[in-house]
Amino acid sequence: MPSSKRIVHVISHTHWDREWYMPYEAHHVKLIETMDTLLRTFESDPDFRSFYLDGQTIVLDDYLQVYPEKREQIQKLCDEGKLSLGPWYILQDEFLTSSEANVRNLQIGHRDAAKFGPISKLGYFPDSFGNMGQAAQLLKQAGMDTAVFGRGVKATGFNNRVDDSGLESPFSELVWQSPDGSAVLGILFANWYNNGMEIPVDPDQAKPYWEHRLARAEQFASTRHLLLMNGCDHQPVQTNLSEALRVARELFPDYEFVHSNFDDYVQAVESERPVTLSVTRGELRGQQTDGWYSLVNTASARVYIKQLNQQNQTLLEKVAEPLAAAAHQLGKPYPHGLMQYAWKTLMQNHPHDSICGCSVDEVYDEMKTRFAKSMEVGKRLTEESVRFIASKMDTSSFAAHSAEAVPFAVFHTSGYEGSSVVTLELEFSHRFFDQSEDPAAIAAEVKARTHGEGYLINTEGTAISHSAEDLGVRFGYELPSDKFRQPYMARAIRLTFEAVNLPQLGYKTFAWIPSLDGAAGGKAGTDEAKTLLRGGRVIENRHLRLTVEDDGSYSVCHKTSGQIFSGLGIYEDVGDIGNEYIFKQPNGDKAITTKGLKAAIHIIENTPYRASIEIIHSLAIPASADERLAREVGEMVEFRNRKAGRSAELVPLVIVTKLSLDRNGKGVRVHATINNGSKDHRLRVLLPSDAIASTHFADSIFEVAERQTAPSAVWENPSNCQHLQTFIDVHDKARGLTAAGKGLNEYEILQDGRNTIALTLLRCVGELGDWGVFHTPDAQCLGSNVAEWMIIPYGGESERFDAYREAYRFPVPLTTVGVCLQEGELPHAEQFLAWNGDGLAFSSLKINEERGDLMARWYNLSGNSAVLAVQPNSAAETYLSNIMEDAASEPEGGSIPVEGYKIVTVGIKL
């Protein structure tokens, strides 16, 4: 018979935020002190059995950066099972980092942890501001069966009733299931991850301490195994823990106190786990709470950081990696080391207190530097890849048009075919020189024998409508791998045109033909209209008709279905007396909007391939909150109890909006420049859908999550903002509206009778919030801010996946490169990897480091089974892998079944 004695598992840990209320290096110093103390404690106390390093390997990276000589000591502790490493590289915010960033985080964390010893196979999410719905599937594919988390599920205690939402549990143990059916044991920190911190040694203090904590742990535990976490944020090591546990054993002989670890604790829980644990499905976002502390508004704190993150992630996963993979197929070594360095540098910005925008200002100065470093590496790797590919292209057919033809290639790597307007700068007539020559004379020589006039053709020799700007003669240089740097002077032009029918993952070539008669040469195009304008404020292509009203709002007609979406683009500004974590509108505050406010409207682009309208609003808004806010912040008045309003002083909020419609575009592109001179406020753009639906769909981590528009009955917060990755969608059977953004991660669906999408563009606050007073003047985002989004209307539910593909294409930039006029092995247009599959979304294409195989990933957007057909550009064997890129013993055919909501990784042997 097993013992009925309760077993208290005390797990020592520290939750290490690398940067938060202090800059990184200040926390770094504290980390060194903490690790030094930990190592000394292990040496001096044989009963101090284990320590959990917060599930993130970067803690050791940061320590060994200062003390590399301690590596062997740490290695020994790992081998002995006293230190537990991984599974993550960093503890990320799951919703504000991309699907692939979450995967790279696991991959790199596993790789780094394996260098020291066994990998902690525990899905550790102690302080995530909400948990992704596909977590269980990701963990199962990575060989993990348990997740530990602190937010998203409400623990009621076993004597309390549990509702049918799936977001309440009587126990701290539950079953957490992903949409595809993958399930893990979920362990909720029902009493948080500090419920066993600073255990007293003095018996008089220890007795009430344990009475309270044991009762709380027993209230939620489904087995006799009780979890007490001995640590907290930046918590120093409790060096007298062994003595504290000895005292506890004397005071409470009916309990067994163990200095434990997660492996032993989880194994013990599993051995006694009841079969009737509640099942929680999908996302954990605090839906069954009062809504005030979901912390979702971190998605709009310091929007500029989210925008840099989107650019950086997209560059690495949708540009640099697939292009390096394509170059590798042609013989170029894949830059594994540099790619991992770029990813690690980026992911150092992904801890929740960093990417969420809820830290002190100094943190973001360093984050901007990290983004710049990672992107510089990504751009350089991209340049090297496309130059290598370009060196093998056959462009000789352009010579028939001119011996001076200037070929170039446009690479498209979004994973979805389509047409896009591209702008590039093209150099030609290079004249290299050395130090013995006069650069001014060289520049004059190039200027004399070249000019900026000519025409543009495709590979069929058809002239293409374009805009060309002569940039004159300019300096440049090349860095050959076999000799010293090579400076040159060259003529440069800036070209803008529409590249049509670009492949999913590949390129097309074009050529600039210098000619003093720019209209001559090339076959005439047959699909060329002179303009997309239909009157002063109407732009129309074959898919959409855009009409701009006097107040700068606009309507879009989806021509195929006849559905009209009106009242789009009204801006709404309200006060915000909350903090970086939480939006709080002042009591009695009324929104200030551009509805009915006359705007200055101008046509700023009118070409056969694109038309653009500029709209200028000047909105008078309060300069800040009133003087009460500063006093309330200083006195730490809880945000819900603040009485501050908005100031009487008004300042102009100038918004310059550019609406663009491409000739083949299926969505309206919007670029807004916001000149912000105000503090303590939030700006949103309103996009009414007029769809009749009680749910909506948000792009999230490896899924498009269906969410209830109305909050639960226990929700008290007047605001119901939520996270998105790339887009938000509302639709019914007849009509649908998708809004895609670039680094715009917060939205709300308004219950205004029109199911309006409210997309947050800017949120300006002056304090960090949480446990102290930390002023954050830079979080007011004063000065010039930009925002970009796309509006994609469509004809209802049956067309939604087509709209999603357009949304996924939107943030992925095209890549261009000049090509020599040459013969080569590659054709003038090429697709490196082709695929098809209804309802599937493309995620990534890269090279596996151990085997050198091509690894490609997709996921099923619906609950229906689909078939993925993969066509590499050469005969190759394919196999089904997982997110960790493990090899499979059995090859797959060209068609791969994909169950509903499944994530599939396909390996292709080269």
Side-chain angles (χ1 to χ4, degrees):
M1 290 285 295
S3 170
S4 61
K5 180 182 281 193
R6 296 272 189 174
I7 301 175
V8 181
H9 294 260
V10 177
I11 297 180
S12 295
H13 79 109
T14 185
H15 175 53
W16 204 262
D17 301 296
R18 291 182 84 233
E19 51 197 9
W20 180 20
Y21 53 88
M22 299 190 299
Y24 163 69
E25 291 299 351
H27 281 301
H28 194 190
V29 171
K30 297 299 294 182
L31 173 65
I32 303 305
E33 295 174 2
T34 302
M35 288 296 297
D36 284 347
T37 302
L38 176 62
L39 297 184
R40 287 195 301 269
T41 303
F42 274 128
E43 286 182 336
S44 63
D45 183 359
D47 293 329
F48 193 89
R49 295 184 57 233
S50 70
F51 195 88
Y52 192 68
L53 281 177
D54 207 29
Q56 49 179 338
T57 60
I58 197 171
V59 172
L60 283 190
D61 279 1
D62 291 344
Y63 182 65
L64 294 174
Q65 181 184 29
V66 176
Y67 288 124
E69 67 272 16
K70 301 290 182 71
R71 188 179 189 90
E72 288 186 10
Q73 185 179 0
I74 290 171
Q75 181 89 50
K76 182 173 181 293
L77 292 169
C78 292
D79 290 339
E80 294 171 350
K82 293 184 176 181
L83 277 182
S84 185
L85 300 184
W88 305 101
Y89 174 60
I90 52 92
L91 288 183
Q92 79 283 26
D93 184 273
E94 301 158 53
F95 286 115
L96 294 179
T97 54
S98 70
S99 298
E100 288 300 321
N102 276 277
V103 169
R104 297 299 182 282
N105 192 6
L106 269 178
Q107 291 174 338
I108 291 174
H110 273 59
R111 183 179 294 117
D112 286 358
K115 297 173 184 176
F116 290 90
I119 303 167
S120 172
K121 285 292 189 177
L122 182 77
Y124 196 60
F125 308 95
D127 199 18
S128 294
F129 300 166
N131 298 105
M132 54 188 167
Q134 290 282 31
Q137 184 177 178
L138 292 172
L139 296 180
K140 293 291 283 188
Q141 289 200 23
M144 290 182 268
D145 298 312
T146 306
V148 180
F149 53 92
R151 288 190 174 89
V153 173
K154 181 179 178 181
T156 63
F158 60 85
N159 288 325
N160 294 334
R161 184 181 64 83
V162 177
D163 69 12
D164 59 2
S165 68
L167 295 168
E168 291 185 350
S169 171
F171 303 122
S172 50
E173 297 80 39
L174 51 94
V175 175
W176 188 13
Q177 194 175 83
S178 284
D180 74 308
S182 299
V184 296
L185 171 65
I187 296 175
L188 171 68
F189 287 134
N191 296 302
W192 206 231
Y193 54 74
N194 65 347
N195 65 326
M197 67 184 286
E198 298 181 351
I199 301 172
V201 172
D202 181 271
D204 292 337
Q205 297 176 5
K207 191 173 187 298
Y209 176 98
W210 283 113
E211 286 174 341
H212 173 71
R213 283 159 177 77
L214 292 175
R216 289 287 294 167
E218 290 180 36
Q219 180 182 356
F220 300 110
S222 66
T223 73
R224 61 196 179 97
H225 298 277
L226 310 180
L227 176 62
L228 273 85
M229 297 295 290
N230 177 234
C232 195
D233 303 345
H234 307 114
Q235 177 74 31
V237 179
Q238 182 167 355
T239 57
N240 63 352
L241 178 64
S242 297
E243 176 64 14
L245 293 181
R246 185 191 64 77
V247 171
R249 294 180 188 112
E250 292 178 354
L251 291 173
F252 298 89
D254 293 337
Y255 292 82
E256 181 179 347
F257 292 86
V258 180
H259 191 201
S260 190
N261 57 66
F262 273 117
D263 288 345
D264 291 346
Y265 167 70
V266 170
Q267 185 177 0
V269 170
E270 283 281 15
S271 69
E272 300 180 13
R273 161 183 172 178
V275 296
T276 55
L277 290 179
S278 61
V279 178
T280 293
R281 295 179 175 85
E283 299 178 312
L284 309 180
R285 297 179 290 103
Q287 300 98 307
Q288 283 298 114
T289 68
D290 64 10
W292 283 112
Y293 281 91
S294 70
L295 307 186
V296 66
N297 300 122
T298 56
S300 57
R302 302 181 192 262
V303 169
Y304 65 92
I305 285 293
K306 278 70 169 179
Q307 292 168 326
L308 287 171
N309 184 55
Q310 180 273 320
Q311 294 169 27
N312 203 157
Q313 290 177 154
T314 302
L315 172 63
L316 295 185
E317 68 193 49
K318 292 297 191 294
V319 181
E321 284 185 338
L323 288 173
H328 179 74
Q329 293 180 71
L330 298 170
K332 183 174 175 28
Y334 191 85
H336 290 289
L338 282 169
M339 202 70 78
Q340 185 176 126
Y341 169 75
W343 269 111
K344 277 190 163 185
T345 305
L346 165 61
M347 285 193 293
Q348 288 165 20
N349 284 345
H350 283 176
H352 54 264
D353 290 311
S354 303
I355 191 60
C356 285
C358 51
S359 294
V360 293
D361 288 343
E362 295 90 338
V363 167
Y364 298 96
D365 295 333
E366 186 153 2
M367 284 182 67
K368 285 185 283 188
T369 299
R370 292 190 202 117
F371 282 131
K373 290 170 65 175
S374 178
M375 284 193 275
E376 200 61 49
V377 174
K379 290 173 185 175
R380 178 61 60 179
L381 294 179
T382 297
E383 290 173 9
E384 292 179 355
S385 295
V386 295
R387 286 179 179 174
F388 183 84
I389 298 169
S391 71
K392 299 182 178 299
M393 293 178 185
D394 188 343
T395 58
S396 57
S397 62
F398 290 121
H401 298 271
S402 171
E404 302 299 322
V406 186
F408 62 93
V410 176
F411 289 83
H412 184 237
T413 51
S414 72
Y416 308 98
E417 62 187 5
S419 302
S420 297
V421 172
V422 58
T423 296
L424 72 150
E425 293 185 3
L426 191 62
E427 294 181 343
F428 56 96
S429 295
H430 296 71
R431 169 65 161 84
F432 292 89
F433 60 90
D434 58 33
Q435 292 181 342
S436 66
E437 297 179 278
D438 178 11
I442 301 299
E445 172 195 327
V446 174
K447 183 177 181 180
R449 62 179 169 80
T450 63
H451 53 81
E453 297 184 35
Y455 58 93
L456 181 65
I457 60 172
N458 59 22
T459 52
E460 288 75 40
T462 302
I464 300 174
S465 295
H466 66 279
S467 300
E469 178 186 357
D470 185 4
L471 302 178
V473 175
R474 69 185 186 189
F475 167 81
Y477 62 91
E478 293 182 359
L479 299 174
S481 58
D482 58 351
K483 55 184 175 181
F484 194 54
R485 59 179 181 254
Q486 302 289 294
Y488 64 77
M489 294 290 182
R491 172 73 69 171
I493 58 171
R494 181 180 292 117
L495 292 176
T496 302
F497 69 100
E498 185 182 42
V500 300
N501 301 325
L502 291 168
Q504 296 167 319
L505 294 153
Y507 68 84
K508 278 190 170 184
T509 55
F510 304 85
W512 174 253
I513 309 298
S515 171
L516 289 175
D517 182 5
K523 296 181 288 186
T526 58
D527 59 345
E528 304 276 331
K530 294 298 183 184
T531 180
L532 300 175
L533 290 175
R534 306 290 185 267
R537 296 182 188 171
V538 179
I539 306 174
E540 184 174 2
N541 66 11
R542 59 194 177 97
H543 302 295
L544 305 173
R545 182 170 65 251
L546 168 69
T547 304
V548 179
E549 307 298 334
D550 288 347
D551 64 359
S553 66
Y554 40 94
S555 63
V556 180
C557 174
H558 181 254
K559 294 169 68 173
T560 303
S561 66
Q563 295 287 339
I564 297 175
F565 300 80
S566 61
L568 303 169
I570 291 171
Y571 293 107
E572 169 209 82
D573 190 84
V574 298
D576 188 348
I577 57 171
N579 53 49
E580 290 183 319
Y581 291 96
I582 300 166
F583 164 75
K584 174 62 170 69
Q585 189 172 356
N587 297 334
D589 180 45
K590 295 188 181 301
I592 302 170
T593 77
T594 57
K595 185 175 183 179
L597 177 69
K598 188 171 179 60
I601 302 171
H602 312 281
I603 304 297
I604 59 170
E605 186 177 25
N606 181 16
T607 69
Y609 53 83
R610 183 170 65 191
S612 300
I613 294 176
E614 181 182 78
I615 303 164
I616 303 175
H617 289 101
S618 184
L619 192 64
I621 66 172
S624 64
D626 63 31
E627 67 280 356
R628 283 174 293 188
L629 181 60
R631 183 174 65 254
E632 290 172 333
V633 168
E635 295 173 355
M636 292 185 65
V637 175
E638 204 261 358
F639 65 90
R640 285 176 292 185
N641 297 323
R642 292 177 180 174
K643 306 300 182 184
R646 303 189 79 176
S647 72
E649 178 189 357
L650 300 181
V651 296
L653 178 69
V654 178
I655 308 171
V656 180
T657 306
K658 182 173 80 170
L659 305 177
S660 298
L661 183 62
D662 298 350
R663 178 171 50 202
N664 288 292
K666 296 179 181 179
V668 178
R669 292 175 178 260
V670 188
H671 181 286
T673 301
I674 304 157
N675 188 3
N676 177 45
S678 176
K679 302 175 182 179
D680 312 314
H681 68 118
R682 181 189 67 184
L683 178 69
R684 303 196 293 191
V685 64
L686 306 182
L687 306 170
S689 73
D690 289 317
I692 302 172
S694 61
T695 64
H696 61 275
F697 295 79
D699 182 45
S700 191
I701 306 304
F702 288 113
E703 67 169 328
V704 175
E706 184 175 9
R707 297 173 179 166
Q708 294 291 325
T709 297
S712 70
V714 299
W715 193 273
E716 298 176 2
N717 190 341
S719 171
N720 186 22
C721 292
Q722 300 181 42
H723 291 97
L724 76 150
Q725 273 283 313
T726 300
F727 62 83
I728 176 65
D729 169 67
V730 189
H731 68 263
D732 57 27
K733 296 288 186 182
R735 61 189 285 127
L737 185 67
T738 298
K742 294 184 179 181
L744 302 177
N745 295 121
E746 181 186 274
Y747 75 93
E748 183 177 8
I749 305 299
L750 305 182
Q751 298 180 70
D752 58 354
R754 302 192 68 186
N755 265 335
T756 295
I757 298 170
L759 192 62
T760 305
L761 308 181
L762 194 64
R763 191 166 77 85
C764 310
V765 293
E767 67 153 336
L768 188 156
D770 205 331
W771 63 273
V773 179
F774 302 97
H775 298 290
T776 57
D778 288 355
Q780 296 285 10
C781 301
L782 297 172
S784 182
N785 296 265
V786 299
E788 293 183 73
W789 63 97
M790 175 184 263
I791 301 164
I792 308 167
Y794 60 97
E797 186 173 9
S798 64
E799 300 177 11
R800 72 181 180 113
F801 293 135
D802 291 333
Y804 295 174
R805 291 187 176 196
E806 287 300 310
Y808 283 133
R809 284 186 65 233
F810 170 60
V812 182
L814 300 175
T815 305
T816 61
V817 64
V819 187
C820 294
L821 194 58
Q822 63 189 23
E823 295 183 349
E825 62 189 78
L826 292 179
H828 50 73
E830 176 72 311
Q831 183 142 271
F832 301 118
L833 182 72
W835 69 276
N836 61 70
D838 292 339
L840 299 183
F842 171 77
S843 190
S844 68
L845 181 69
K846 62 185 288 288
I847 298 296
N848 172 268
E849 185 169 1
E850 287 74 28
R851 299 183 305 279
D853 295 345
L854 193 67
M855 308 302 299
R857 189 159 27 255
W858 293 263
Y859 52 101
N860 194 339
L861 295 172
S862 79
N864 300 321
S865 296
V867 175
L868 170 65
V870 181
Q871 300 101 34
N873 64 350
S874 60
E877 181 181 294
T878 62
Y879 59 90
L880 199 58
S881 182
N882 54 38
I883 64 164
M884 304 308 289
E885 302 179 7
D886 295 329
S889 56
E890 296 295 328
E892 291 281 342
S895 296
I896 300 170
V898 184
E899 297 175 11
Y901 302 117
K902 278 290 184 184
I903 305 164
V904 294
T905 304
V906 178
I908 303 170
K909 295 185 177 181
L910 300 177

